[in-house]
């Protein structure tokens, strides 16, 4: 019971990794010298849908979740069909935590993948990308473009 309550609380605090709804036009980010085209998830509905039901994600694409506050985040992979790297960034866009090679969820309930510290931005990339480009804690995420309204 306690485990279920903790999972629910983390999801309410953070959102979850799921799919294809965004509320602002795509833009790009740069991390560890690599550029990625990203879709934005800046409202509750877009953050809840995330990358759900996608069957592929190009190596140079991802999704950037933007929250109105900095807090511990917890993502899950319900209805997400592709493995992902989940990278958590603080308000200064410094990498504070990673969950690498997170598999699609085949259990019920799906496990929650929490941040190790408070985060405001979460970047989802294809599994293996963070390792391939050599991402390290403290790396800065540069956002190229307008984030629009965050709620």
């Amino acid at each position: 019971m306690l485990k279920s309550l903790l999972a629910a609380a983390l999801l309410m605090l953070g959102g979850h990794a799921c799919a294809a709804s965004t509320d602002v036009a795509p833009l790009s980010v740069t991390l560890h010298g690599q550029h990625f085209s990203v879709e934005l998830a800046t409202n509750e509905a877009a953050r809840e849908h995330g990358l759900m039901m996608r069957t592929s994600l190009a190596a140079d694409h991802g999704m950037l979740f933007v929250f109105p506050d900095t807090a511990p985040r917890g993502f899950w992979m319900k209805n997400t069909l592709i493995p992902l790297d989940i990278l958590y960034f603080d308000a200064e866009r410094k990498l504070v935590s990673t969950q690498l090679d997170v598999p699609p969820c085949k259990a019920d309930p799906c496990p929650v993948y929490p941040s190790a510290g408070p985060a405001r931005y979460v970047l989802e990339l294809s599994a293996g990308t963070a390792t391939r480009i050599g991402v390290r804690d403290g790396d800065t995420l540069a956002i190229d473009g307008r984030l629009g309204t965050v709620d």
Side-chain angles (χ1 to χ4, degrees), residues 59-82:
D60 62 345
H61 284 71
M63 181 168 275
L64 181 64
F65 296 78
V66 183
F67 294 88
D69 61 346
T70 302
R73 304 288 175 206
F75 276 54
W76 66 340
M77 299 290 284
K78 184 172 179 145
N79 297 323
T80 305
L81 307 175
I82 53 176

Side-chain angles (χ1 to χ4, degrees), residues 32-63:
H32 207 72
Q34 299 293 309
H35 301 281
F36 299 93
S37 293
V38 294
E39 296 173 52
L40 283 174
T42 60
N43 64 42
E44 189 66 28
R47 288 189 296 262
E48 284 181 11
H49 202 259
L51 291 170
M52 186 183 296
M53 306 312 287
R54 301 279 178 98
T55 56
S56 65
L57 183 63
D60 62 345
H61 284 71
M63 181 168 275

Side-chain angles (χ1 to χ4, degrees), residues 117-132:
R120 180 156 186 202
Y121 304 92
V122 179
L123 178 63
E124 290 183 338
L125 301 169
S126 294
T129 302
T131 299
R132 179 178 52 80

Side-chain angles (χ1 to χ4, degrees), residues 62-142:
M63 181 168 275
L64 181 64
F65 296 78
V66 183
F67 294 88
D69 61 346
T70 302
R73 304 288 175 206
F75 276 54
W76 66 340
M77 299 290 284
K78 184 172 179 145
N79 297 323
T80 305
L81 307 175
I82 53 176
L84 298 170
D85 288 343
I86 305 171
L87 297 92
Y88 299 92
F89 297 85
D90 65 15
E92 287 75 41
R93 301 180 184 159
K94 299 283 186 197
L95 183 64
V96 296
S97 182
T98 60
Q99 293 282 352
L100 304 179
D101 299 311
V102 177
C105 178
K106 295 181 180 173
D108 190 18
C110 295
V112 175
Y113 297 92
S115 59
R120 180 156 186 202
Y121 304 92
V122 179
L123 178 63
E124 290 183 338
L125 301 169
S126 294
T129 302
T131 299
R132 179 178 52 80
I133 67 172
V135 170
R136 303 181 206 297
D137 283 350
D139 281 353
T140 301
L141 180 69

